[in-house]
Amino acid sequence: MENTSKTNEKTIEILDRLITILDDGKLGYTNAAEDVDCNQAKTDFLGYARERALFIVELQDEINKLGKSTNTAGGPMGAIHRAWIDIKSLVTGGDKEAIINACITGEKAAIEEYEDALNEEHLNTSLRPLILKQLASIKTTLAKIEMEKKTLT
């Protein structure tokens, strides 16, 4: 019983970290949508923000199943990233390329956090498919954003 309790506790910590990076991404994309001048980019960024919100709910549901209530506050690195998007857009006047670069940075951080989670020995194995599904979507989003960047040059 103690082993299961310890595994659940560690799994909750892992999921909390993922929720933090997702919340940071959701807020970052919302800020990016507000700051960019291109209507299509606004639509895309808001879609990515909605997807991150859905991912958060999915992970919160899993934490709740493990017996812990959930909340999202965003992490300190995410706060730095969001501030960087805000500052970058102020300096660049909504420059789409600068905002896209900030989003690429955020997506790469999310991918790293997800890969770290998958490598954790204490991760409840039943959660691997959900985490892999979310990771695949984040990688797809990164590829779309990188493709968008290429069209700017």
Side-chain angles (χ1 to χ4, degrees):
M1 184 71 167
E2 190 174 317
N3 253 355
T4 302
S5 177
K6 181 119 176 125
T7 298
N8 285 351
E9 188 178 305
K10 291 290 187 178
T11 296
I12 289 168
E13 288 176 23
I14 294 164
L15 295 178
D16 278 339
R17 286 196 325 260
L18 294 179
I19 287 171
T20 297
I21 197 85
L22 289 168
D23 192 49
D24 295 341
K26 178 184 75 170
L27 294 171
Y29 279 125
T30 300
N31 287 344
E34 291 170 0
D35 294 334
V36 75
D37 293 329
C38 171
N39 285 335
Q40 183 58 52
K42 279 182 190 297
T43 300
D44 291 343
F45 291 148
L46 289 173
Y48 302 147
R50 279 190 299 275
E51 180 182 59
R52 294 310 179 269
L54 173 64
F55 289 172
I56 290 168
V57 170
E58 290 175 339
L59 295 181
Q60 286 175 330
D61 286 347
E62 295 301 327
I63 289 174
N64 292 334
K65 288 177 190 174
L66 294 171
K68 181 180 180 257
S69 64
T70 55
N71 68 29
T72 58
M77 289 309 292
I80 291 168
H81 182 249
R82 287 190 304 275
W84 188 69
I85 287 178
D86 287 342
I87 291 167
K88 197 72 157 165
S89 65
L90 288 173
V91 170
T92 61
D95 178 53
K96 186 176 174 185
E97 185 174 5
I99 293 169
I100 285 174
N101 285 335
C103 292
I104 288 170
T105 300
E107 288 299 75
K108 287 181 178 179
I111 289 168
E112 185 177 328
E113 192 68 46
Y114 267 75
E115 289 174 345
D116 288 349
L118 288 166
N119 290 324
E120 289 273 351
E121 67 179 271
H122 295 291
L123 178 68
N124 185 323
T125 56
S126 67
L127 294 173
R128 289 184 67 77
L130 174 61
I131 292 172
L132 284 166
K133 175 190 72 100
Q134 290 184 357
L135 174 59
S137 183
I138 292 168
K139 286 181 176 181
T140 299
T141 298
L142 175 61
K144 287 177 187 175
I145 293 169
E146 288 176 332
M147 199 59 139
E148 180 68 22
K149 182 179 176 182
K150 287 180 182 177
T151 65
L152 298 175
T153 57

